[in-house]
Amino acid sequence: MPAKQDTFVTEITPRSEDFSRWYTDVVRRAELADYSPVKGSMVIRPYGYAVWELMQASLDARFKATGHVNAYFPLFIPESLLRKEAAHVEGFAPQVAWVTHGGDEELEERLVVRPTSEAIIGTMYAKWIQSWRDLPLLINQWANVVRWEKVTRLFLRTTEFLWQEGHTAHETREEAEAEALRMLGVYKDFAESELAMPVRDGRKTESEKFAGAEVTYSIEALMGDGRALQAGTSHMLGQNFSKVFDIKFQARDKSLQYAWQTSWGMTTRLIGGVIMTHGDDSGLILPPRIAPYQVVIVPIPRGNWQETVLPRAREAAAALTAAGVRVMLDDREEYTPGWKYAEWELRGVPLRIEIGPRDIAKSQALVVRRDTREKLPVPLDELAARLRALLAALQQDLLDRALKFRDDHTRRVTTRDAFEEALRGRPGFVVAPWCGREECETGIKADMQTTIRNIPLEPPPASGGCIRCGNPGLTDVYFAKSY
RNA sequence: CGGGGCGUAGCGCAGCCCGGUAGCGCGCCUGCCUUGGGCGCAGGAGGUCCCGAGUUCGAAUCUCGGCGCCCCGACCA
């Protein structure tokens, strides 16, 4: 059985050859998701959904820790409610799916399938909020939403997707502002700690902000092909929605005030982000903290392995499970060890344990890292402790590697020539001064297919004149081609 | 929604130009063999050739229309 490195290359397109195709191949071959008979809609398969569940659990814990509670609001929103906030409806109108009939009967009022829930939640908040004592109101919901997309891609952009949307109401602008920034911080911490995905946090420009928001913040990650991915957004809605939905409360000074609101969301798109941040030519690489299986054990069938090897493998699995490690013991007989190695590497399992007669003779097992393919023997009685440490190290190494990649693909430029040159070469973030005018922003977008991803939260003084017009720069911003 | 490409077995493809019994590899099933990087041998199952019209004695193949997917742009999480 010669090792045929090129055998499994045929399973997925090499990343360097065609990144988009590589991505699609990984999603399908790793059984994260599949196309469905519904145009633009995908099926999240059990393995992909398991990743989402781990993300959910971790995010949800962070929401609870910051005082939020979960609730559930309706899927359908009456047209009249969506229309209340002018900018909001204008922003979402091209993307909404309409429900016009119930059975055979035409509805008196059309319903939209929620593209987001500000309208329905605002309506309810108006009923629930009367006094400053009712504030802050901190509610999150886990839900599906529908946005009629023209072009779709698995996880990154589908007509229906899963997400969480937080909706809060506060007494003052300052509180709402603090909340929006606090949740942006939660997102950043989540992306970096759990997904090992470094992100740049900042404020969106006027043209890129959420329809109906006063300020939109985002975290932006850099994918393996040098394009940026918006990984989460947090909006300070001001009183835009509270004024149209009549969310009023009696303030401490007895005056009647409109509530200050925020909303923030993260979606299943992040799964796509994880794939494009860490994956390689062999397939997926999952950060241990969101890996459905953190360790796969492959017993080596030799001789009467059922009596000799398998019991040791089962003991190892039990010990790891007891230590809180998510383990898969792959004892299928119809596949060879080599096949299993390739399969679980493709599916991104962070660590593999090979255990055979030779190992058992030495009371050890061979542990192999997915990211570096480094092999190291570990005594069987130390497995649990050693693997926990290895998983933590791997998690950290993935973040470090992604961080280095991002920094290697971030350039600071101060002239228009250098800017255009930077974007012609390998893509990535380009930090450059901008005058703050929308005209320059759209000009760059039209000419360079490059957008301002966001403006740093504490913008340093501009390092020069605007990259586009040369006028005094207002601030340095992050540019990138994006998903 | 513009520009390009592709729809043939579960997956990847050939056949199409030049119309004439639908093929290959992998996978799947049965049995044997064992398995330390996608083992080997033998036998077998599996097809509305994306859909619909048209041309023709005859259409996977030619014509028209539709649908879907992929890639590159404009819009978005």
Side-chain angles (χ1 to χ4, degrees):
Chain A
M1 279 117 296
K4 288 169 290 187
Q5 196 68 21
D6 51 327
T7 306
F8 53 79
V9 168
T10 59
E11 296 277 339
I12 48 179
T13 308
R15 246 167 61 119
S16 54
E17 184 183 312
D18 183 341
F19 192 87
S20 294
R21 208 169 153 192
W22 166 84
Y23 172 80
T24 306
D25 287 348
V26 170
V27 171
R28 301 190 68 185
R29 249 324 254 108
E31 296 182 3
L32 295 170
D34 203 355
Y35 295 107
S36 78
V38 190
K39 179 186 162 90
S41 297
M42 68 175 191
V43 174
I44 303 177
R45 301 184 65 174
Y47 193 59
Y49 201 78
V51 172
W52 178 239
E53 285 180 316
L54 288 161
M55 289 184 180
Q56 269 188 307
S58 167
L59 264 178
D60 203 62
R62 284 170 163 80
F63 297 155
K64 302 279 169 60
T66 42
H68 303 84
V69 291
N70 286 331
Y72 186 79
F73 295 85
L75 172 67
F76 300 122
I77 299 174
E79 178 171 9
S80 56
L81 289 190
L82 191 75
R83 292 205 179 282
K84 283 194 173 181
E85 215 287 332
H88 190 57
V89 68
E90 194 188 326
F92 281 103
Q95 284 189 283
V96 298
W98 293 99
V99 177
T100 57
H101 288 74
D104 290 338
E105 287 183 34
E106 189 167 346
L107 301 179
E108 269 186 45
E109 178 179 9
R110 296 195 295 175
L111 302 172
V112 305
V113 181
R114 66 178 161 219
T116 178
S117 301
E118 274 74 8
I120 192 81
I121 291 178
T123 304
M124 299 312 295
Y125 279 14
K127 295 169 71 169
W128 299 340
I129 296 169
Q130 275 133 56
S131 149
W132 64 272
R133 295 178 197 278
D134 297 323
L135 300 174
L137 186 54
L138 308 172
I139 294 180
N140 175 66
Q141 89 164 339
W142 291 95
N144 58 340
V145 285
V146 167
R147 296 182 188 176
W148 216 256
E149 297 288 350
K150 289 162 186 165
V151 179
T152 57
R153 297 200 60 197
L154 295 169
F155 287 118
L156 300 176
R157 187 180 300 105
T158 49
T159 299
E160 178 185 2
F161 57 93
L162 305 184
W163 77 344
Q164 65 56 222
E165 47 180 324
H167 294 268
T168 68
H170 307 264
E171 279 185 80
T172 63
R173 164 184 286 278
E174 290 68 32
E175 258 188 63
E177 182 70 36
E179 168 76 0
L181 283 168
R182 177 170 70 153
M183 298 321 287
L184 187 76
V186 164
Y187 285 164
K188 182 173 161 70
D189 175 66
F190 168 77
E192 299 185 342
S193 305
E194 309 291 329
L195 312 182
M197 181 191 290
V199 295
R200 297 200 189 276
D201 50 353
R203 183 169 54 85
K204 284 290 195 184
T205 62
E206 283 303 296
S207 67
E208 296 265 337
K209 75 181 187 187
F210 175 75
E214 200 168 303
V215 186
T216 288
Y217 300 100
S218 75
I219 53 172
E220 306 277 336
L222 192 64
M223 302 294 100
D225 62 347
R227 293 170 70 187
L229 182 79
Q230 182 170 302
T233 50
S234 182
H235 317 289
M236 208 294 279
L237 302 174
Q239 294 176 315
N240 292 346
F241 287 87
S242 63
K243 282 180 178 166
V244 293
F245 289 103
D246 209 31
I247 307 172
K248 282 183 299 208
F249 67 95
Q250 189 147 30
R252 294 167 202 252
D253 67 0
K254 296 177 187 164
S255 68
L256 215 47
Q257 304 280 338
Y258 287 109
W260 295 85
Q261 294 181 274
T262 79
S263 69
W264 25 274
M266 266 196 165
T267 81
T268 38
R269 164 183 262 195
L270 285 172
I271 297 173
V274 167
I275 297 166
M276 293 192 292
T277 298
H278 303 301
D280 65 15
D281 279 352
S282 296
L284 189 59
I285 298 179
L286 287 171
R289 295 184 67 93
I290 56 156
Y293 305 123
Q294 297 170 308
V295 177
V296 60
I297 301 178
V298 179
I300 307 301
R302 266 287 174 85
N304 60 338
W305 68 287
Q306 313 263 18
E307 285 77 46
T308 55
V309 176
L310 199 52
R312 295 290 90 73
R314 290 211 172 104
E315 284 167 18
L320 288 168
T321 301
V325 177
R326 294 187 288 274
V327 186
M328 148 67 78
L329 171 60
D330 190 352
D331 57 1
R332 291 175 294 178
E333 297 188 36
E334 61 268 35
Y335 296 110
T336 61
W339 189 93
K340 292 175 185 175
Y341 300 163
E343 182 69 10
W344 292 113
E345 280 174 10
L346 197 153
R347 302 185 76 180
V349 176
L351 293 178
R352 172 173 82 236
I353 297 178
E354 302 174 15
I355 181 164
R358 295 209 294 265
D359 305 295
I360 288 169
K362 290 184 273 186
S363 292
Q364 66 172 37
L366 199 60
V367 178
V368 185
R369 284 176 62 140
R370 171 64 181 87
D371 58 340
T372 59
R373 286 209 169 75
E374 182 187 354
K375 298 189 175 189
L376 60 162
V378 173
L380 284 175
D381 55 7
E382 294 175 20
L383 263 184
R386 293 283 298 276
L387 288 213
R388 281 170 58 109
L390 262 174
L391 287 168
L394 203 154
Q395 178 85 29
Q396 183 62 44
D397 289 352
L398 287 181
L399 177 62
D400 290 345
R401 193 178 67 157
L403 206 51
K404 180 174 189 312
F405 176 85
R406 187 190 70 179
D407 290 346
D408 287 348
H409 291 258
T410 299
R411 270 151 300 167
R412 297 184 169 273
V413 299
T414 52
T415 67
R416 185 164 178 164
D417 284 349
F419 181 71
E420 292 179 359
E421 170 59 29
L423 287 164
R424 258 198 303 277
R426 49 178 196 176
F429 282 116
V430 177
V431 185
W434 172 55
C435 62
R437 291 187 311 142
E438 197 165 324
E439 185 186 331
C440 285
E441 183 186 7
T442 54
I444 288 166
K445 187 172 176 178
D447 294 348
M448 314 288 299
Q449 292 83 49
T450 297
T451 50
I452 296 174
R453 299 321 303 158
N454 61 26
I455 303 161
L457 289 180
E458 286 170 20
S463 53
C466 175
I467 215 72
R468 178 80 178 177
C469 66
N471 289 327
L474 185 70
T475 177
D476 282 4
V477 299
Y478 296 116
F479 288 93
K481 298 184 187 207
S482 74
Y483 274 93

